[in-house]
Amino acid sequence: MTAAPPIPDGTARRLRWATVGSGLLALLALAIPKVGLPAAVVVLITLAAGALRVRSLRPWAIGVGVVTLVAFIRFAIVEAVPGVVQGGNMAASNSAVHRLREIVFAQDVMRQRGFVDPDGDHIGSAALLGELSGELPLRGVRKLDPPLLARGFGPFHDTPAGPAAQAGAYLFLVCLPGRNGAFTANPKAALDDEAAERRFLAYAWPMGPRGPRQAYAVDQHEAIFVSENGSGAEPTWAGPFHAPTCDALTSGGGFRPWRGKKPRATLPGDVP
């Protein structure tokens, strides 16, 4: 085996300064985790350039490598992993808003097609989530075939407010006006189909306490609202046993307009 050629003195001097510089950068990375990734890149370049081949530099280069490894692990724990989790939660939240919009579009079709129109005015009433997805017969009579909501809403879970559908990391619930004047998601409740021609609410909240935290709501005008879902360590609404009530949007649930989204001025089929 041929021995590696000796490193010229000029190159050795440059490697010495590079090792010192990368060592200082590695020490900085211990204090500032965000520096961990660039420090690791610089040290790898220094080592690949031949710092380990200079006998007088070898102990220092090894020490710098160890310090950099510790700094990089700290970077991964403090910065990288939480960033990945945050990105996943953000994607789940955006998906929840998209799903709420799907519900609005399905309700638009209900209104335009008049699948539920007991007064014969050619303006249909909104439907519960189970009815929209084909899980439940429409007003207990017949199922929508095909359902207005594509597959992806389900399985359904019983909640104190009514059946909620799971989609990804969120649960979803649709509330309609009841004959008693209050909104309900209970398929056995007496619904006010006339009021449901112009009003409905839909909610989305996290399936569990360890995923995304924010909760969302939307109404018939596609006005989207977001709530921080409580201020404690655990979210207020999480899972089927801790679901928002149908009046959460108006009863202190902490909802505010989402990203300045403006509601629609009219509903489909309204005369301008």
Side-chain angles (χ1 to χ4, degrees):
M1 181 180 294
T2 304
I7 295 179
D9 292 341
T11 302
R13 283 195 299 271
R14 287 192 291 271
L15 286 173
R16 188 174 295 109
W17 285 111
T19 302
V20 172
S22 60
L24 293 175
L25 188 60
L27 291 174
L28 181 63
L30 288 177
I32 306 176
K34 289 183 178 180
V35 184
L37 183 57
V41 173
V42 170
V43 170
L44 283 175
I45 293 174
T46 302
L47 296 179
L52 290 174
R53 291 171 53 199
V54 180
R55 181 171 300 180
S56 61
L57 285 181
R58 192 172 300 157
W60 296 98
I62 293 174
V64 169
V66 171
V67 172
T68 304
L69 178 61
V70 173
F72 183 78
I73 293 173
R74 188 162 182 262
F75 160 78
I77 295 173
V78 176
E79 297 289 341
V81 173
V84 171
V85 172
Q86 183 179 5
N89 289 342
M90 185 177 297
S93 296
N94 289 337
S95 176
V97 172
H98 175 74
R99 291 285 189 179
L100 287 177
R101 282 175 161 157
E102 286 185 30
I103 293 173
V104 173
F105 299 151
Q107 300 287 25
D108 287 348
V109 176
M110 288 291 301
R111 193 169 196 273
Q112 293 168 324
R113 299 290 297 274
F115 292 120
V116 177
D117 185 18
D119 61 3
D121 63 355
H122 305 292
I123 299 176
S125 300
L128 296 171
L129 188 55
E131 296 173 326
L132 294 173
S133 63
E135 179 75 12
L136 297 172
L138 193 59
R139 296 303 191 264
V141 178
R142 61 182 178 83
K143 288 188 177 182
L144 287 173
D145 187 20
L148 292 179
L149 287 180
R151 292 181 179 179
F153 283 94
F156 276 76
H157 302 266
D158 290 330
T159 77
Q166 182 180 351
Y170 274 82
L171 287 168
F172 295 82
L173 187 75
V174 169
C175 300
L176 302 181
R179 292 181 186 172
N180 62 357
F183 277 85
T184 180
N186 186 348
K188 296 180 180 180
L191 300 176
D192 185 343
D193 288 322
E194 182 68 18
E197 289 181 356
R198 303 200 64 82
R199 298 187 70 193
F200 72 85
L201 293 172
Y203 292 94
W205 71 99
M207 181 64 189
R210 297 294 178 260
R213 183 185 183 99
Q214 291 178 319
Y216 299 90
V218 71
D219 66 10
Q220 67 283 340
H221 285 94
E222 203 184 351
I224 302 173
F225 304 90
V226 59
S227 168
E228 295 305 320
N229 199 2
S231 57
E234 300 290 335
T236 301
W237 306 309
F241 300 110
H242 299 283
T245 58
C246 281
D247 64 350
L249 183 60
T250 58
S251 64
F255 285 95
R256 67 180 190 278
W258 175 77
R259 297 183 182 177
K261 172 72 169 60
K262 294 183 178 180
R264 302 182 295 188
T266 61
L267 296 176
D270 281 351
V271 178

